[in-house]
Amino acid sequence: MAHSKNFTAGNIPKQLLLFTLPFMASNALQVLYSTVDMIIVGKYVGTAGLSAVSQSSQILNFATMLSLGFSNAGQVLVSQAMGAGKKREQNSIIGTLFTLILAIGAVLSVGILALSRLILSWINIPQEAHADAMDYLIICGAGLIFTAGYNMVSAVLRGMGDSKSPFLFIGIATFVNLVLDILFTGVLGFGVAGAACATIIGQAVSFLFSLFYLYRRRVAFGFDFKPRSFRPDRHYVGMIFSLGTPMAIQSGCINISMLFVNALINSVGLVESAAFGVGVRIDDIFNKISQGLQYAAMPMISQNIAAKESGRAQRVVWWTWFYSVVFTVIIFAVYLFFGEGLFRLFSDDVLVHGMADTFVAAILWMFPALAIMRGSGAFIQGIGNAKFGLLLSLLDGVVLRICFSVLFGIVFGWGFYGFVLGYGLAAYGFAIPSALYFLRGKWKKQKTLADKM
């Protein structure tokens, strides 16, 4: 199997669609991976366990997204090196990225373990869910190196135009997690701790398999796996940190704001906490699937920018917007007609079901912004303008999401509906400025990252 693909020529809508579909399937499996925990815990442990998993997952997502920011930086560099035909530089970038990401994953694991009690106290997690949340956070936090490693391998493959191998890796993880979830939580009765063990074992198996798989295909992959190749190159360490730090902060800001909104809702009560956790998980399913478009568009844009094909890069964005709007309309309809039914999949609590209509009525306002972000967000990342991406994420994740949630939920007194509405409307803080940046075209005068390699 070839692990690289050239997107600087050919039919753009066909390439984008065929490249996107495996990413959508991979992201769907990745969300299913964590969703399985919530469904099984909701059935066998109850509302308190559901709240514990949903809240702990948000904390773990924060750590994961930090490492993913640096992985995405590596993806952009790999894509631009490939687009510029710089194979030797590409090998050095991949080796440097391997070492850095695994080190970052280890540091994040230590940080989660050391600060777990303080973090749970800060987000006001309901007392009934505290012990289970601690178990889930510690067990999964200890295995963050495997999560970081999988995301790093997948980012490199995305950068090279391979969307099929990541689907294989996450498929293995999902299968292992599902089997062990049923065994540990359902059959053996280990509760939330069992779900956490299933999650971390699945991630470990997936990461180790991905390394073995790529080593056996190292010629096609384009990385020799020799020990000296893992020695970080100072030049590329600097480029990865320069590009990845804003991306990591960008991802972290979004998750910090999520934790803040969680803290507001947790202070209302256990049912609202569980309902928001379920709603965000359902939203995450649709969001991650549509994110496959952004994952596909990003390396296509990077390769064409590095190859000085700015016109093709622009057309990639337009086609991404087209496909994104089509997908958004479909998901909009699913929410309208099956909203409460989706909530029933996660919980048997009728009080949680009763919050479904309120959540859906508020979250639907976010959908147009997400459709815009898939194209313009991919463009900003693809050209490597991480600082502008960081600025927009601060506006979205910190300023608007927190301010809107407080404004609508507390100041206006709209409660649960206001908190969810504020969470959703904040996305326009990224969508509108990023679209204007792309449409104005001043980015054409900037140097590419490939020029600096």
Side-chain angles (χ1 to χ4, degrees):
M1 179 188 296
H3 289 286
S4 61
K5 191 173 295 184
N6 188 344
F7 291 116
T8 59
N11 185 289
I12 290 175
K14 181 179 178 181
Q15 287 177 333
L16 179 60
L17 182 61
L18 293 179
F19 194 39
T20 293
L21 292 176
F23 281 137
M24 283 188 163
S26 297
N27 286 357
L29 283 178
Q30 195 162 21
V31 175
L32 177 63
Y33 184 94
S34 55
T35 300
V36 163
D37 286 347
M38 290 189 65
I39 292 176
I40 293 179
V41 167
K43 298 294 183 183
Y44 290 102
V45 181
T47 301
L50 195 61
S51 176
V53 173
S54 66
Q55 304 302 309
S56 297
S57 294
Q58 290 296 330
I59 298 167
L60 294 164
N61 284 342
F62 170 73
T64 299
M65 294 304 287
L66 286 179
S67 67
L68 188 59
F70 292 101
S71 293
N72 285 341
Q75 174 184 328
V76 173
L77 294 179
V78 169
S79 292
Q80 294 215 11
M82 185 177 172
K86 299 185 175 183
K87 294 184 178 180
R88 183 178 61 82
E89 289 83 352
Q90 181 178 310
N91 186 82
S92 185
I93 291 168
I94 293 173
T96 300
L97 188 66
F98 262 81
T99 302
L100 281 182
I101 294 300
L102 293 179
I104 290 170
V107 170
L108 289 172
S109 284
V110 172
I112 289 289
L113 295 178
L115 301 174
S116 55
R117 192 173 300 278
L118 178 63
I119 295 171
L120 289 180
S121 173
W122 178 69
I123 65 171
N124 296 323
I125 193 163
Q127 191 60 40
E128 303 95 321
H130 191 278
D132 283 338
M134 181 66 73
D135 288 343
Y136 195 88
L137 188 58
I138 288 176
I139 294 171
C140 290
L144 276 174
I145 189 171
F146 300 118
T147 308
Y150 162 76
N151 285 325
M152 175 266 300
V153 171
S154 296
V156 170
L157 289 169
R158 288 197 301 269
M160 297 174 68
D162 181 2
S163 59
K164 295 179 181 178
S165 297
F167 176 67
L168 171 64
F169 304 150
I170 193 59
I172 292 171
T174 303
F175 176 76
V176 172
N177 183 48
L178 175 61
V179 172
L180 294 183
D181 249 332
I182 295 172
L183 176 63
F184 292 162
T185 305
V187 178
L188 299 178
F190 291 165
V192 170
C197 289
T199 295
I200 210 61
I201 292 172
Q203 290 173 344
V205 170
S206 176
F207 174 56
L208 295 176
F209 176 82
S210 72
L211 289 182
F212 175 75
Y213 177 89
L214 294 177
Y215 177 77
R216 292 291 299 271
R217 294 161 177 79
R218 55 191 178 277
V219 175
F221 179 48
F223 180 67
D224 57 24
F225 279 90
K226 293 179 180 179
R228 69 172 181 271
S229 296
F230 288 97
R231 187 179 304 119
D233 181 291
R234 293 178 63 182
H235 177 62
Y236 295 123
V237 168
M239 290 190 74
I240 291 171
F241 271 101
S242 176
L243 185 60
T245 299
M247 287 185 176
I249 296 173
Q250 171 184 344
S251 301
C253 287
I254 294 172
N255 279 272
I256 286 175
S257 67
M258 280 291 300
L259 292 174
F260 184 88
V261 176
N262 274 332
L264 290 175
I265 294 175
N266 289 341
S267 65
V268 178
L270 179 64
V271 172
E272 288 79 5
S273 172
F276 185 69
V278 169
V280 168
R281 179 61 61 193
I282 294 169
D283 181 62
D284 198 35
I285 295 172
F286 298 139
N287 189 17
K288 285 286 174 59
I289 293 174
S290 72
Q291 200 173 52
L293 274 166
Q294 188 168 334
Y295 281 169
M298 188 172 154
M300 292 180 69
I301 292 166
S302 290
Q303 285 190 23
N304 282 288
I305 288 293
K308 312 300 182 183
E309 295 283 351
S310 61
R312 280 184 62 85
Q314 287 177 289
R315 290 196 293 276
V316 171
V317 176
W318 285 107
W319 277 105
T320 303
W321 275 339
F322 173 77
Y323 287 135
S324 184
V325 168
V326 171
F327 183 81
T328 300
V329 170
I330 294 172
I331 300 307
F332 195 95
V334 171
Y335 257 117
L336 283 179
F337 294 107
F338 305 105
E340 185 173 336
L342 293 173
F343 270 67
R344 291 180 183 275
L345 291 175
F346 290 85
S347 174
D348 294 326
D349 192 333
V350 294
L351 296 177
V352 173
H353 302 164
M355 304 295 293
D357 287 344
T358 303
F359 183 90
V360 170
I363 204 65
L364 289 180
W365 290 99
M366 179 175 67
F367 278 33
L370 289 181
I372 296 171
M373 290 169 64
R374 293 296 166 243
S376 54
F379 182 78
I380 289 172
Q381 287 189 312
I383 67 173
N385 195 342
K387 292 181 180 179
F388 185 56
L390 171 60
L391 177 64
L392 296 186
S393 293
L394 288 172
L395 179 62
D396 167 0
V398 177
V399 179
L400 296 184
R401 184 162 295 160
I402 292 176
C403 289
F404 281 173
S405 295
V406 172
L407 176 66
F408 297 136
I410 297 177
V411 177
F412 286 7
W414 294 351
F416 183 77
Y417 174 82
F419 293 138
V420 178
L421 182 64
Y423 160 80
L425 290 181
Y428 288 92
F430 190 105
I432 294 174
S434 63
L436 292 175
Y437 172 82
F438 166 72
L439 295 171
R440 291 183 67 186
K442 289 188 175 181
W443 48 270
K444 295 179 182 179
K445 300 178 182 178
Q446 298 176 354
K447 282 188 175 182
T448 70
L449 293 172
D451 294 332
K452 303 174 184 179
M453 292 178 182

